[in-house]
């Protein structure tokens, strides 16, 4: 009676020349290569976004309370002013060298050394005065209702001023006026406290951290009303 040899169990048999191990090794290398390529692409995309589109910014001081709190992380839109200029009411981040700090200074800004965050109050050609008989700030004679963003208990300014914003410049103030070093503090400096438009890094659009404070940073309605009054020519040359 002939006996038959059991068929070879190829699933368990060893591969003496390593022909099965090589494809597995090549597949692993392929996965690792793809993962490394994806990581590089992601890093490049993040770099480009950070350079040209949007960048995070930390708020280390109380100068913009209660709009922005100490510890907030915000997203700054760096592309928004490529085809336009900052408007009254925008919260902007700007390089303060030459306006708020000396050109060669290494420190002194609200964050990141020389970078500051403030609200635009006056743009080129505006006459900004504080304060009128009712303690209000005015732009071209039109009173500005700051109750929607001014820190509770703060006056528009304890320091009286009357300025005209030069071409290509901005007049900026912090929302927490009693705790803000802003354009008012540099009125007597060579730059007059005015921020060059080309020094603006971008507009603050979102608070993204902490989660409980996550929200959009919109332009207050008071500035829409102000622009409407200025367009109509109401109040020009008046103090209200």
């Amino acid at each position: 009676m002939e006996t038959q040899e059991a068929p070879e169990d190829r699933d368990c048999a060893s591969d003496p020349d390593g022909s099965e191990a090589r494809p597995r090794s090549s597949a692993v290398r392929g996965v690792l290569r793809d993962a490394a390529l994806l990581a590089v692409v992601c890093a490049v995309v993040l770099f480009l976004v950070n350079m040209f589109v949007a960048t995070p910014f930390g708020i280390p001081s109380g100068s913009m309370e209660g709009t922005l709190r100490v510890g907030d992380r915000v997203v700054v839109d760096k592309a928004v002013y490529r085809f336009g200029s900052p408007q009254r009411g925008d919260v902007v981040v700007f390089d303060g060298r030459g306006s708020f700090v000396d050109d060669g200074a290494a420190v002194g800004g609200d964050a990141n050394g020389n970078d500051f965050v403030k609200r635009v109050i006056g743009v080129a050609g505006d006459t900004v005065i504080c304060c009128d008989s009712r303690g209000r700030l005015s732009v071209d004679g039109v009173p500005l209702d700051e109750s929607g963003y001014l820190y509770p208990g703060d006056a528009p300014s304890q320091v009286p001023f009357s300025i005209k914003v030069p071409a290509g410049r901005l007049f900026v103030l912090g929302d927490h006026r009693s705790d803000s070093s802003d354009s008012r503090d540099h009125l007597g400096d060579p730059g007059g406290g005015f921020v060059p438009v080309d020094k603006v890094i971008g507009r603050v659009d979102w608070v993204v951290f902490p989660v409980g404070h996550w929200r959009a940073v919109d332009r207050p309605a008071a500035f829409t009303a102000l622009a409407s009054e200025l367009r109509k020519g109401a109040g020009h040359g008046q103090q209200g």
Side-chain angles (χ1 to χ4, degrees), residues 179-192:
D179 192 31
S180 176
S181 177
D182 46 43
S183 287
R184 298 169 300 168
D185 295 87
H186 301 278
L187 292 174
D189 293 353

Side-chain angles (χ1 to χ4, degrees), residues 129-179:
I129 296 175
C130 196
C131 299
D132 66 10
S133 59
R134 295 173 56 184
R136 299 172 299 180
L137 182 151
S138 67
V139 178
D140 285 349
V142 178
L144 177 63
D145 179 8
E146 300 194 277
S147 60
Y149 58 85
L150 199 64
Y151 188 76
D154 273 8
S157 181
Q158 295 291 345
V159 178
F161 59 84
S162 176
I163 59 90
K164 187 177 179 66
V165 185
R169 298 292 191 271
L170 304 170
F171 185 79
V172 299
L173 299 175
D175 288 354
H176 194 173
R177 300 286 160 80
S178 63
D179 192 31

Side-chain angles (χ1 to χ4, degrees), residues 63-145:
S63 70
M64 282 297 295
E65 291 181 337
T67 302
L68 303 175
R69 303 182 303 190
V70 176
D72 280 352
R73 298 289 293 180
V74 301
V75 173
V76 178
D77 185 342
K78 301 177 75 172
V80 66
Y81 298 134
R82 288 193 186 146
F83 304 101
S85 298
Q87 299 182 45
R88 304 180 196 92
D90 288 354
V91 176
V92 298
V93 173
F94 61 92
D95 183 341
R97 286 174 293 184
S99 58
F100 277 34
V101 294
D102 292 337
D103 274 316
V107 295
D110 279 1
N112 303 328
N114 297 307
D115 295 343
F116 292 76
V117 56
K118 305 293 179 189
R119 188 180 298 280
V120 177
I121 300 297
V123 297
D126 286 347
T127 296
V128 185
I129 296 175
C130 196
C131 299
D132 66 10
S133 59
R134 295 173 56 184
R136 299 172 299 180
L137 182 151
S138 67
V139 178
D140 285 349
V142 178
L144 177 63
D145 179 8

